[in-house]
Amino acid sequence: MKYVFLNANLLDGNLDENQRMPVKGRSAVFVEGDTITGVYTGECPDTTGYTVIDLDGKYLMPGLINLHAHFVPAMPVRKPKPGKEAKQTDNKALKRLLTSLPFSDALIGAIMKGVARDTVGSGVTTVRTVGGILDADAKIRDRILSGKVTGPRMLVANTAISVPGGHMAGLLATEAVTPEDAARDVREIAQTKPDLIKLMITGGVLDASETGEPGVLKMPPELVNAACREAHALGFRVAAHTESPEGVKVALENGVDTIEHGAKPDAEMLRLFRERGAADICTLSPAMPYVFMDPADTGLGELGRHNGTIVFNGIAECARACLENGIPVGLGTDVGCPFTTPYDMWRELGYFVKFCGVTPDFALHTATKVNAQILGLGDVTGTIEPGKCADLIVSGKNPLEDFENLRALSMVCARGQLIRNPKVKRVKSIDDAMDALKGKW
């Protein structure tokens, strides 16, 4: 199909010499198949042979890229009953339940199909999943590529690697005990055709049992090293869940390529980031409820608030320090965590501005061009330029004035596939809870 977007207010994903993303009025973008073939501002070439889509002043920009998501379980956690606290999930029991039923594949496939639809419908045209059940992520990725399912471009880790008692062990991750186990797990995961390898190096807020101990180191350095060496030998980059200074340093010292979440930085940590050429993936969304919501509503009480605040501050401080030192920082939302939906990437951009001190222009630039570069897809997507993939979104109002203008889009174009007036399946209780926090931060 050949079509042209006319009369667009264009935000192309690039920053100018003043670090601003100027709005280019009266712009036209030509698309053939899944490729952008021309971008013009002012005078527009002949449109004969193209289906014309008149945007009438709407805002056209690159599709958003979410660098940190879990498609399963991407099911919202309900508010606990009054006076009750959420119980720790039995990961192994949950995995058995999800995978042992006669209709398990169909159930997981249906869940992921819905998440994929809501993800792309919200304007996220590329997503990286970093821990899932078996090879379910690869299966939905391939169904999207074949055209059987509507969804974003996906880069997947499939099952992650953890240790006994480690983060998501037994559910979204294997349990390695020795370096040999870790290397073997990498080889076995590689057989499921992932795009990257994910390690769970530290604990997190949801599995902390004591005040002040989120992000405790779980995976010994020798296991991290063995997994990274095996992954790199097979051509895979390695992402790692790390929520403490010790965990970040162990990850970087032993070969990890992207630090997921981050922690309070110091000079040594920043030196390791630079030497390793690693990127920091900022994920403020999952910690927001624990910092700003009534502890009774999160199910983790004051323990969750205290530990969540430690993690939240560490993520923000790490991102700020990396930016100040020229270290790449990307954005993700940690879809699959409580209160974090597949369709709210716009919230993360707002948090990035508020808590990391960047401009709205830089936040949008990060969620598009920078995220694409971190993925190694900078020549494929992330900006609106001839030769790039047609990953585009259309908003009625300028998102740089308020990122909530991305909440409901009039159009999404994912790899050339046009979705008009995209719909997402919203969870009102979560939307209301997260909307109510805005006045608190």
Side-chain angles (χ1 to χ4, degrees), residues 70-76 111 115 335-337 340-342:
H70 304 276
F71 272 24
V72 173
M75 295 169 280
I111 292 170
V115 176
V335 170
C337 284
T340 308
T341 68

Side-chain angles (χ1 to χ4, degrees), residues 364-377:
L364 184 58
H365 170 69
T366 299
T368 53
K369 185 174 182 176
V370 174
N371 275 2
Q373 291 172 334
I374 290 172
L375 287 178
L377 296 176

Side-chain angles (χ1 to χ4, degrees), residues 166-167 202-209 213-216 218 241 243 307 311:
H167 193 61
T202 75
V205 175
L206 295 179
D207 47 27
S209 58
E213 67 131 21
V216 64
K218 297 284 189 177
H241 169 100
E243 293 188 349
N307 288 335
V311 168

Side-chain angles (χ1 to χ4, degrees), residues 14-36:
N14 291 301
L15 298 182
D16 63 16
E17 61 276 8
N18 298 314
Q19 298 298 294
R20 302 301 299 270
M21 191 182 299
V23 177
K24 301 175 181 178
R26 295 187 59 233
S27 290
V29 175
F30 287 73
V31 173
E32 296 187 24
D34 63 357
T35 304
I36 298 168

Side-chain angles (χ1 to χ4, degrees), residues 8-9 11 55-61 392-400 402-412:
N9 276 318
L11 294 163
L55 295 185
D56 192 25
K58 292 185 174 68
Y59 290 79
L60 179 67
M61 67 211 82
L392 314 166
I393 60 177
V394 179
S395 169
K397 296 180 180 180
N398 187 352
L400 299 182
D402 188 340
F403 284 122
E404 192 166 356
N405 290 331
L406 298 176
R407 187 171 197 156
L409 301 172
S410 60
M411 202 172 297
V412 172

